[in-house]
Every structure is written in C-alpha cells, then in structure tokens.
Amino acid sequence: MKLARKDILGLQDVSREEITLILDTADSLKEISSRSIKKVPTLRGKTVINLFYEPSTRTRTSFEIAAKRLSADAINISPTTSSIAKGETLIDTARTLESMSPDIIIIRHSASGAPHILARLLSQSIINAGDGFHEHPTQALLDMLTIREKKGTIEGLTVAIVGDIAHSRVARSNIYGLITMGASVRVCGPALMMPRDIGRMGVDVHYDMEEAIRGVDVIMMLRIQFERHHNSRYPSTREYARSYCLNEAKITGAKKDVMVMHPGPINRGIEISPEVADGPYSVILDQVANGVAVRMALLYLLLPGEQL
Ligand code: CP
C-alpha cells in the first residue's frame, strides 16, 4: 500500500490510518539497516534532493542514508555552497531544481510555510524537514515509532512535552500526531515559551515541571531555540535550568519506567542533565536510529517503485 497524498507537510491533517501505515512500514524497513549490505533496489532510478536552508545533522543525514539504502540517488543542497548565497529566491531555486527532474524534494527552511509554497508550485513530492516554528512531521513520526516500539502502544499513554513549546516545531507535530494516535499530552514550560493558541490544541498546560511529569509514561524534553528568540524569554539560562532542566533529582518524581526523549541537538545542563541524557531512561539514540527507518518509509510510501 502507498500513501494517497503527494506531500508530507505536517501532521495536523494526517489520519490515524496514515500514521499507522508509516510506522508499520518503518518497522518492516528497519531491519535493512542491520544487514551487512544495507541496500535494497526498491527506489532505483529515483532522485531525492535535500534542500536545507538551516543547519541539520540528524534530519539531513538520515534522509540521505534512507535514500541510499533504498538505492535512490541523493543530492544535498545548502545555502552556503549553492546560488542561494548569491541571492536566488526560494521559488527560483525550486523551479531550477524542478527542471532537473528530481522525484522528491525535502526542504528545511526558517520560514513557516516554505514547504507548502513548493508543494503548490511543483509536481514533485515535497517533505517538510522543519519549517520555522510550524511543524517537523518526520521528527514526530520517528518519536511515535520509538514510543510504540518501547511501550507497545501509543493509545492511552500520557506524554509530557517540556521546554520552549512556542518555538518548537517538534512540539507542534508531536501534539498533533500523539493526540491523533490516542495519547494524552501535557505541555510544560515558562509562560513566555507557550504559544498563544495552546488552549486550542487539546493539551493540558503546566508551568511547574514536577507536577507536569508526575505519573507520565514519556517525558519529551525540548531544546531552547535560542536562534528563534528575538527578545529575552527567561531571566537567565541558569534560572531556566533550575526550573525546567530534567535531572536525576526531578526524575525521581516520575514513573519508575518513564522514558526520556529529546529530538537533539541537546543543550546539556540547560534542558537535560548529562546523567539523564546518557542514563537508563534515555532513548535519544534510539530516536536517531528510528529516524532512518521513518524516512525510508516516507520515501517508499510517496514514490512509485518496486514493492517491498
Ligand atoms: N532533531 C533534528 O531535527 O535534528 P537536526 O537539526 O540535527 O536535523
């Protein structure tokens, strides 16, 4: 089965059946990464373009690895080494790339809505790899794959998302996806880091971290998005850490089998202590591994190619 849509721009309008199909496909593709020859011919002859206007380690690399494991050709474009540095616009760049007949374009951009512009303009499939503080759907899908893998289900779990909610595209996509899959979601952070529309998102809002993580199955810590703060959101990082850094003392108030997640990159000692990030509750590196599987699944499900 394939996805009956051209693009993946966000999870707000993605159904439970579609998310389940993506996670099931990722589950079955994950095994390829543990083979000695990590390659299948499924997308031979297809071309994938990674168009990243913002820095990335996990998303860009895992999309490239995902494409190569499915035998597609993967091309990376960055602002510093392309004609974007000469002032070429997003639309001109997109039209130029379209003329070279790629099959799919993966875009990360600082402007919310940039992938939607490309999706309207181009016939190729578009995947949003993070747009401003709007959505990061592939991150939420890999997070849900990790939760399902470790907990056996998503339905009925309680997930606390803690940190800079207002500037986090990861938080927004996870809120949409987790609620669609039947989880209860709590969000927690300082008032100045809460989005204005949080009351309409179907989550429980907390400002006290101990209270927010009490009894939850999953704690998802977020990076403070310093690069998106145009004015101060908190008196100091030390004060932020005192209230919202997940450390060994705070985690004692959570469930014994709580699972700790972080999309990365981590500000160690600000939102999560090194002992927790590297400790027994952490699944941070499992999330990274699942990023490859989820991105393989999306390429497979959006592009015509050989059946698995
Ligand atoms: N989680 C995430 O998007 O990481 P990168 O910025 O390294 O891609």
Side-chain angles (χ1 to χ4, degrees):
M1 210 198 293
K2 296 274 182 171
L3 280 170
R5 57 170 67 232
K6 176 174 128 351
D7 313 296
I8 292 286
L9 303 177
L11 292 190
Q12 190 169 18
D13 68 338
V14 178
S15 69
R16 190 176 181 134
E17 291 68 33
E18 288 175 297
I19 292 176
T20 303
L21 173 64
I22 296 164
L23 301 189
D24 288 349
T25 307
D27 249 347
S28 66
L29 288 168
K30 196 172 168 178
E31 167 272 323
I32 295 168
S33 294
S34 60
R35 294 183 192 172
S36 59
I37 296 174
K38 303 175 181 64
K39 211 181 231 327
V40 292
T42 314
L43 295 183
R44 194 169 38 197
K46 303 293 179 199
T47 304
V48 174
I49 292 184
N50 273 323
L51 176 58
F52 276 56
Y53 283 79
E54 286 189 324
S56 167
T57 298
R58 292 150 200 79
T59 314
R60 197 199 58 72
T61 310
S62 60
F63 263 118
E64 183 175 353
I65 289 175
K68 288 179 172 170
R69 294 212 170 140
L70 294 171
S71 296
D73 296 311
I75 315 296
N76 296 307
I77 297 177
S78 80
T80 48
T81 57
S82 69
S83 288
I84 298 166
K86 301 174 199 160
E88 191 161 46
T89 66
L90 171 66
I91 290 174
D92 284 343
T93 301
R95 285 278 192 223
T96 301
L97 297 176
E98 181 186 37
S99 304
M100 298 182 217
S101 308
D103 296 284
I104 191 159
I105 297 177
I106 296 140
I107 177 169
R108 170 171 287 190
H109 203 286
S110 59
S112 301
H116 305 69
I117 295 172
L118 261 55
R120 279 195 296 274
L121 204 67
L122 307 184
S123 58
Q124 285 86 0
S125 288
I126 306 296
I127 298 181
N128 180 0
D131 63 325
F133 40 86
H134 177 228
E135 283 221 42
H136 191 350
T138 66
Q139 177 68 44
L141 288 163
L142 74 87
D143 291 339
M144 288 190 280
L145 180 65
T146 309
I147 294 172
R148 197 178 76 163
E149 203 174 78
K150 302 285 178 194
K151 297 285 184 189
T153 181
I154 298 171
E155 173 136 40
L157 297 182
T158 303
V159 180
I161 305 178
V162 181
D164 186 1
I165 310 289
H167 297 93
S168 176
R169 51 202 182 198
V170 174
R172 199 168 279 272
S173 286
N174 265 296
I175 290 168
Y176 293 138
L178 287 166
I179 290 175
T180 300
M181 297 307 283
S184 299
V185 179
R186 299 178 188 173
V187 294
C188 176
L192 282 173
M193 292 187 191
M194 281 294 164
R196 286 208 195 95
D197 61 345
I198 196 69
R200 295 196 298 271
M201 294 185 78
V203 297
D204 294 324
V205 181
H206 295 260
Y207 301 100
D208 178 83
M209 187 166 168
E210 278 84 353
E211 185 188 291
I213 66 175
R214 198 171 300 137
V216 299
D217 301 284
V218 178
I219 304 170
M220 189 179 289
M221 299 305 300
L222 300 174
R223 184 174 69 86
I224 300 191
Q225 309 267 308
F226 290 112
E227 71 275 26
R228 297 189 212 288
H229 293 186
H230 300 301
N231 45 37
S232 177
R233 297 281 162 162
Y234 216 70
S236 72
T237 49
R238 190 183 299 176
E239 283 196 54
Y240 178 87
R242 196 175 302 142
S243 300
Y244 296 107
C245 178
L246 185 63
N247 55 27
E248 285 178 315
K250 286 203 190 81
I251 214 167
T252 55
K255 266 187 173 175
K256 292 269 172 291
D257 65 345
V258 74
M259 189 173 117
V260 173
M261 309 181 79
H262 192 302
I266 296 171
N267 294 309
R268 284 178 181 260
I270 297 178
E271 69 258 358
I272 191 166
S273 72
E275 295 75 29
V276 172
D278 304 327
Y281 301 104
S282 171
V283 296
I284 293 171
L285 295 179
D286 299 284
Q287 290 173 260
V288 176
N290 282 337
V292 175
V294 155
R295 288 161 182 138
M296 286 171 79
L298 288 170
L299 296 177
Y300 169 73
L301 291 169
L302 287 173
L303 290 174
E306 288 178 23
Q307 291 296 314
L308 286 171

